[in-house]
Amino acid sequence: MYDRSYTIVDDQLKNNHYQNDIHYTLQMCQWLLKLIGIWPLLNNHTSRLEQLLSIVLMITCYSSIFFIILPSGHHFFFVEKNLYMKMKMLGPVSFCVFATVKYSYLARKGAFLQRCIRQLKNDWKRVQDPSHRAIMLKYAGISRKLITMCAVFIYTGGMSYHTVAQFLSKERTRENYTVRPLAYIGYDPFFDTQSSPTYEIVFFLHCFAAMIMYSITTVAYGLAAVFVTHVCGQIQIQIARLQNLVESKDRDLFSVIVHDHAETLRFSKNIEDALYQICLTEIVECTICMCILEYYCLMEWANSDLIATLTYMTLLTSFTFNIFIFCYIGELLTEQCSQIGTTSYEIEWYQLPAKRAYDLILLISISQYPPKLTAGKIIELSLNTFSSVAKTSLVYLNLLQTVTD
């Protein structure tokens, strides 16, 4: 575990706009974290009322998700005997289970996430050069775009499944009477979901739980995007300093570069400690859900159900895009940190005094072992990993078709 001193002397506060910059960087994640009650766990400056509200929200979120998992799980294991119907239930229920796991990790990793956020804020407070601040704002803008795209895909696909697909799909009749559709089944042993107002209440609770689960998924991607792009911004600042090293008359510039580079590597280690379990959950979830959604698309296409097919294709696109974002973020982190060594060699180091030129060997050596974002400290997140996940989902699809046929 790596930590650093966060005490800042007043005369070190160089960025007068740091509050707006921090708000711009964390705004979208902060909205979602407040919605699911996690934000007070990451913020020391919270009132007792906010902490109490956080507990109420967390209990509400868990209760809403378990309102789906428990009846559906009971129906899946003890009631339903039809293999095709079990497969229809497996995808939605497994998503609920993985969302619960991710939510638990977010709550459990509060101290690690708090350390990352505190260091991010500290970097914004201490940035001095306007060009360096512009670099940080650029990468903060990239993280906001990634979060927005992730949210659009997952909310659009998910809510389409809970609303449009349920009402317009062909599977709405049963023995000459119309079935009022629900995204999750398994409530019949407990109460009649087809009567009013029970149906309306259950349908609303399903949509409410879905919004919570999509918020959990989005905030997991969002935190990874914010932290990694912030690291990229810090790396680019160090590269800019390196490019000015030869012409600079500041003898302490190289010391500043090495110090900030070491802090950035520690930040990267903190990110890994905070997110590796969530990343592993995402890898497993996306592999399974992509396989199941591919199966659903084939089945609904065979049944000529266009609405259901389009809905499942939207969800498949969402999961594919989201796992791509995670892998892209991991690739970006490794690639950016490796650039330090390349830049150290490409500058006119031969014009430096021999002792200062020798010092560059340190940066070149360290850059040969860039930090990595991993899933469970087992799988390195990279574009190669994305390719492996896509191939694995297709392999499981063939196995699934063989078993169900």
Side-chain angles (χ1 to χ4, degrees):
M1 182 188 304
Y2 289 87
D3 203 349
R4 60 182 286 186
S5 174
Y6 297 98
T7 304
I8 301 177
V9 183
D10 290 340
D11 60 4
Q12 289 181 313
L13 295 175
K14 303 296 184 180
N15 182 12
N16 294 327
H17 307 284
Y18 75 90
Q19 291 182 334
N20 292 332
D21 294 341
I22 292 171
H23 178 72
Y24 177 75
T25 304
L26 295 175
Q27 181 184 29
M28 303 183 77
C29 286
Q30 188 173 339
W31 284 345
L32 296 170
L33 288 167
K34 285 183 176 180
L35 180 65
I36 59 178
I38 299 293
W39 180 251
L41 301 178
L42 314 182
N43 187 9
N44 289 328
H45 306 291
T46 54
S47 64
R48 296 297 295 272
L49 179 61
E50 289 175 324
Q51 294 174 0
L52 179 61
L53 180 61
S54 171
I55 295 173
V56 172
L57 285 173
M58 292 183 70
I59 293 174
T60 302
C61 292
Y62 273 118
S63 300
S64 300
I65 300 175
F66 279 113
F67 179 75
I68 295 174
I69 293 176
L70 295 180
S72 298
H74 174 268
H75 188 85
F76 181 88
F77 287 107
F78 303 108
V79 178
E80 187 61 61
K81 304 301 180 183
N82 186 286
L83 183 58
Y84 176 75
M85 291 304 299
K86 280 194 172 187
M87 287 306 306
K88 291 282 287 186
M89 293 180 62
L90 182 60
V93 175
S94 62
F95 178 77
C96 297
V97 173
F98 282 117
T100 307
V101 173
K102 284 184 287 187
Y103 190 43
S104 301
Y105 278 137
L106 285 171
R108 182 171 172 268
K109 290 291 185 176
F112 292 90
L113 294 171
Q114 185 184 67
R115 185 178 298 117
C116 294
I117 291 174
R118 197 161 58 222
Q119 183 167 344
L120 181 147
K121 290 181 178 180
N122 213 32
D123 289 337
W124 275 112
K125 291 177 181 179
R126 297 195 299 181
V127 63
Q128 181 176 357
D129 193 314
S131 63
H132 295 171
R133 177 172 175 263
I135 291 173
M136 294 172 67
L137 286 173
K138 172 188 172 182
Y139 280 91
I142 292 174
S143 70
R144 289 173 66 95
K145 291 176 182 176
L146 291 175
I147 297 170
T148 301
M149 288 189 290
C150 172
V152 167
F153 273 107
I154 196 163
Y155 281 101
T156 301
M159 293 314 296
S160 296
Y161 171 76
H162 282 80
T163 54
V164 176
Q166 301 304 320
F167 287 100
L168 299 182
S169 176
K170 288 184 176 182
E171 296 183 4
R172 291 193 56 205
T173 59
R174 183 190 302 167
E175 297 179 359
N176 298 325
Y177 69 93
T178 302
V179 177
R180 304 176 80 179
L182 287 172
Y184 307 95
I185 58 178
Y187 300 93
D188 291 341
F190 310 102
F191 45 80
D192 182 14
T193 56
Q194 295 297 304
S195 62
S196 296
T198 305
Y199 171 79
E200 287 78 9
I201 294 172
V202 173
F203 183 84
F204 170 77
L205 289 175
H206 284 177
C207 292
F208 179 73
M211 294 296 292
I212 292 172
M213 291 186 289
Y214 302 146
S215 298
I216 292 169
T217 300
T218 305
V219 81
Y221 287 102
L223 288 171
V226 167
F227 293 152
V228 171
T229 53
H230 182 76
V231 168
C232 293
Q234 296 303 301
I235 291 294
Q236 289 300 315
I237 289 173
Q238 293 153 26
I239 288 175
R241 287 171 174 162
L242 274 172
Q243 291 171 341
N244 295 328
L245 183 64
V246 176
E247 298 179 357
S248 176
K249 297 180 180 179
D250 185 359
R251 294 185 176 180
D252 295 328
L253 181 58
F254 188 76
S255 299
V256 172
I257 294 171
V258 173
H259 174 271
D260 286 358
H261 186 237
E263 295 295 338
T264 302
L265 294 178
R266 293 191 181 101
F267 187 24
S268 301
K269 176 60 178 174
N270 287 334
I271 296 172
E272 165 71 3
D273 290 339
L275 297 178
Y276 74 92
Q277 292 169 325
I278 296 175
C279 291
L280 178 61
T281 306
E282 285 291 345
I283 288 288
V284 176
E285 176 190 12
C286 287
T287 303
I288 294 174
C289 289
M290 285 170 64
C291 167
I292 295 174
L293 285 168
E294 289 161 356
Y295 174 79
Y296 290 166
C297 289
L298 293 176
M299 293 300 101
E300 299 302 340
W301 181 264
N303 294 334
S304 301
D305 193 339
L306 181 60
I307 298 299
T309 303
L310 290 176
T311 301
Y312 289 133
M313 287 184 66
T314 304
L315 281 170
L316 178 59
T317 304
S318 171
F319 278 99
T320 305
F321 176 80
N322 289 342
I323 193 60
F324 172 78
I325 290 297
F326 248 126
C327 293
Y328 170 74
I329 288 171
E331 182 86 14
L332 186 65
L333 176 64
T334 303
E335 180 186 352
Q336 290 282 318
C337 291
S338 299
Q339 286 186 13
I340 289 287
T342 304
T343 304
S344 299
Y345 181 76
E346 289 179 346
I347 64 174
E348 297 177 345
W349 52 267
Y350 43 83
Q351 295 186 10
L352 292 171
K355 185 178 183 305
R356 296 187 68 186
Y358 281 131
D359 291 339
L360 290 173
I361 297 175
L362 173 65
L363 285 178
I364 296 174
S365 300
I366 293 297
S367 68
Q368 302 303 308
Y369 304 95
K372 294 177 174 62
L373 191 62
T374 67
K377 298 186 182 293
I378 302 171
I379 306 170
E380 178 185 338
L381 293 184
S382 64
L383 296 181
N384 288 333
T385 303
F386 171 73
S387 176
S388 298
V389 169
K391 292 176 182 177
T392 303
S393 69
L394 292 174
V395 171
Y396 288 158
L397 173 62
N398 291 331
L399 177 62
L400 190 60
Q401 286 181 304
T402 302
V403 172
T404 53
D405 289 344

